Amino acid sequence: DAYISGKCMYLAAAIHDITGMEIRLVLEEHARDGRVFTAKEFLGACPTIRQSTTSGALPYVAHAWVVDEARKEDIDIDGRYPSSVNGWNDGYATMVTAIDSSSMRQILSALNTNPISDAEWDVEIKNAMKVYNDHRDYFDARKSRSLKIKP
């Protein structure tokens, strides 16, 4: 349940650490113009981005997942499915690409007024790695979906 509501970024970081797959994320409370940043570009633009939210609130990670480029598939708590059916890829909001665990941590710290400690990060990643490793068949099996997954 934790990875359905609020901890997807830890699962994505854990899967990245195990597989090396790229992490992607979408920001909420930001201009919904479909802009795409690399992690490096985003971290450089953070001060401006924090001031350009649609509501004046700090942007936050709406969803994070990993991308298996070779198979053109995305993986998150819903399992593995074609990237073409991931509704988060449809320009819903600002997307950040080319993320690894370290830059994910930096992004979360940049967006959060109460950053996670090293110990908390380590516990969250360890827990997410356990979920991924304990359910490897689920995450490795491609799901067949007839409808797009919408944010």
Side-chain angles (χ1 to χ4, degrees):
D1 288 342
Y3 303 103
I4 294 172
S5 179
K7 293 191 175 189
C8 57
M9 69 285 287
Y10 303 119
L11 183 61
I15 295 172
H16 165 80
D17 286 349
I18 293 168
T19 67
M21 290 182 215
E22 172 191 341
I23 303 168
R24 292 192 182 161
L25 64 81
V26 169
L27 295 175
E28 186 63 82
E29 292 297 334
H30 191 258
R32 291 188 176 161
D33 56 9
R35 287 191 288 173
V36 178
F37 294 89
T38 65
K40 184 177 180 179
E41 292 167 341
F42 178 78
L43 287 164
C46 254
T48 305
I49 288 170
R50 289 174 67 125
Q51 296 166 4
S52 65
T53 60
T54 54
S55 69
L58 289 175
Y60 61 92
V61 175
H63 189 53
W65 64 97
V66 295
V67 179
D68 184 340
E69 287 288 347
R71 293 174 62 178
K72 303 291 186 227
E73 295 173 338
D74 294 350
I75 304 169
D76 62 13
I77 195 62
D78 289 327
R80 176 185 287 270
Y81 47 87
S83 297
S84 62
V85 302
N86 183 349
W88 296 100
N89 286 320
D90 288 345
Y92 166 76
T94 300
M95 181 182 288
V96 184
T97 65
I99 304 170
D100 60 18
S101 291
S102 175
S103 56
M104 172 65 87
R105 208 92 200 258
Q106 291 173 329
I107 290 167
L108 293 176
S109 293
L111 296 177
N112 198 331
T113 56
N114 186 22
I116 188 167
S117 71
D118 290 344
E120 290 169 312
W121 175 264
D122 292 345
V123 166
E124 293 292 354
I125 297 303
K126 180 181 173 186
N127 290 341
M129 284 180 166
K130 181 170 177 18
V131 167
Y132 181 74
N133 285 325
D134 286 354
H135 302 283
R136 203 66 183 257
D137 290 343
Y138 171 78
F139 288 109
D140 287 347
R142 184 173 184 172
K143 307 296 185 275
S144 173
R145 296 185 188 258
S146 59
L147 300 173
K148 280 203 167 206
I149 300 165
K150 287 296 182 187

